[in-house]
Amino acid sequence: MASQWSPGAIFSPSQARQQQAQAKDWNYIDTWLSAKYSPKSAPPFERNNETLKALLALASWNEGVDEERTLVARVETRALEELKAEGSRRKAEADADTEILEGLSHSLTRDGRQSLDSIAALSVALGTTSVEQAKLGRGIISLTKQKFDLEQQAQRIEALRGKLQSDLDLLRSALNKIQSDEFAAAPSLPQKTAEWNRATKILTAKVQEYKDRLASLNDSEPPTPSLPEVVAEEKEIAGLKARVLHLEAQAKAFQGLPHDMDLARLEIERVRRELEVLTRQRDRLFEGLVEGRGA
């Protein structure tokens, strides 16, 4: 490191101190790098002030991390030792309790062991470590009440489940019925729907036309019809009335027939055969009546 001293440092005390501190820092860096790369040697690098500052900062940070790691390791080691000591202490206490319990169990009679087991099971069920009769009695009453409440809730839930299952079965039955052929749309429904739409459009146009005509009639004074026109309209109305009565009479003859064309034809054919049978019966009766009078 003596080669780093400049000639001016001999005659300048401040520069001499600065170079001495820099040499000390380089000595620290060399020692630190040798320790990190041991047993190998540190790789060569350029020695200047910027490199020295960077290496000093890195070394300082590394030492801080090493100290923190050492401190954490010490704390973990101490904690582990305490946990081991606590585990040993608890194991010793458990062994002592087990020894006492085994000794107590061996010294009890059969009835005593049964009583002790019953008290232990009761304490576990009640969630208490007390063996006082009053506390155990209150715990038994509370536990019985909880059991009764739970049984009542279970019964109500079961009744509700049954009701929901019944409703679900009814809904499934209704759904199956709706999805069956009974509720299926007729094949002619699209055609009829189209016809109804066309008729609706025509009637809508007619209604608007009649509204316009009615509005025009309301705006203008209606003409007074003559007597011959009134008589002619009465005759036309009478003819229309007779026509309507005739059509109603014809329609009554088809009452009771099915709406389906094929079924209606079958029904008409059945009635026609019935009529033929009755006609033949009438003819036979008439012939028998005529022959009886001739005799």
Side-chain angles (χ1 to χ4, degrees):
M1 301 303 296
S3 61
Q4 296 181 0
W5 288 81
S6 61
I10 301 174
F11 303 100
S12 177
S14 59
Q15 190 174 3
R17 287 194 297 269
Q18 182 179 0
Q19 290 187 0
Q20 184 179 5
Q22 189 176 19
K24 185 178 181 181
D25 292 338
W26 276 116
N27 189 21
Y28 167 72
I29 293 299
D30 290 336
T31 303
W32 177 70
L33 290 175
S34 298
K36 292 298 179 183
Y37 284 95
S38 180
K40 297 180 180 180
S41 60
F45 57 91
E46 184 179 355
R47 294 177 176 267
N48 52 39
N49 292 331
E50 298 297 329
T51 305
L52 180 60
K53 290 179 181 179
L55 290 174
L56 285 174
L58 180 62
S60 176
W61 177 82
N62 185 260
E63 286 183 355
V65 172
D66 290 341
E67 290 177 359
E68 183 178 355
R69 186 184 299 111
T70 303
L71 181 61
V72 171
R74 289 177 181 176
V75 172
E76 290 179 349
T77 303
R78 183 174 180 181
L80 182 60
E81 292 176 353
E82 291 179 354
L83 288 175
K84 289 181 178 179
E86 181 67 17
S88 300
R89 184 182 63 80
R90 291 185 177 182
K91 185 176 183 302
E93 292 178 355
D95 293 341
D97 294 339
T98 303
E99 184 178 356
I100 294 173
L101 183 60
E102 289 179 354
L104 180 62
S105 178
H106 288 306
S107 62
L108 290 175
T109 61
R110 181 179 180 182
D111 294 338
R113 284 195 297 270
Q114 290 180 353
S115 299
L116 183 61
D117 292 339
S118 299
I119 293 175
L122 183 60
S123 299
V124 172
L126 297 177
T128 180
T129 57
S130 176
V131 294
E132 296 182 5
Q133 294 182 357
K135 290 185 178 180
L136 292 178
R138 288 193 296 269
I140 292 172
I141 295 173
S142 177
L143 190 62
T144 304
K145 183 176 179 299
Q146 291 178 6
K147 179 183 177 182
F148 177 77
D149 293 340
L150 291 175
E151 289 176 350
Q152 293 296 316
Q153 292 179 7
Q155 291 178 1
R156 288 193 293 270
I157 291 173
E158 182 63 25
L160 179 60
R161 189 198 65 80
K163 180 65 170 58
L164 292 176
Q165 185 64 40
S166 177
D167 293 343
L168 181 60
D169 293 340
L170 291 176
L171 290 175
R172 285 177 177 172
S173 176
L175 180 61
N176 293 332
K177 187 176 181 181
I178 292 173
Q179 293 176 346
S180 63
D181 296 337
E182 183 179 355
F183 288 88
S188 60
L189 183 60
Q191 182 180 359
K192 290 183 179 179
T193 304
E195 293 177 358
W196 292 338
N197 290 333
R198 288 194 296 270
T200 301
K201 293 179 180 179
I202 295 172
L203 290 176
T204 303
K206 288 291 185 182
V207 167
Q208 187 62 38
E209 180 183 353
Y210 292 152
K211 285 182 178 179
D212 296 339
R213 293 174 62 182
L214 182 60
S216 63
L217 289 175
N218 290 332
D219 294 338
S220 62
E221 185 179 355
T224 305
S226 61
L227 183 58
E229 291 178 351
V230 173
V231 173
E233 288 183 359
E234 287 182 354
K235 289 182 180 180
E236 185 179 355
I237 292 172
L240 291 174
K241 185 176 181 181
R243 178 64 177 168
V244 169
L245 293 175
H246 178 67
L247 292 175
E248 287 180 352
Q250 289 183 350
K252 287 181 180 179
F254 294 97
Q255 287 183 356
L257 291 178
H259 297 286
D260 187 75
M261 185 66 71
D262 295 333
L263 296 178
R265 289 176 180 173
L266 292 175
E267 183 66 19
I268 293 172
E269 186 64 26
R270 185 185 64 79
V271 173
R272 184 182 291 113
R273 287 196 298 269
E274 250 182 55
L275 179 60
E276 291 177 356
V277 172
L278 293 175
T279 302
R280 287 195 295 270
Q281 290 180 358
R282 183 199 64 185
D283 293 340
R284 286 197 299 271
L285 291 175
F286 183 72
E287 291 173 1
L289 180 61
V290 172
E291 290 177 357
R293 287 183 178 181

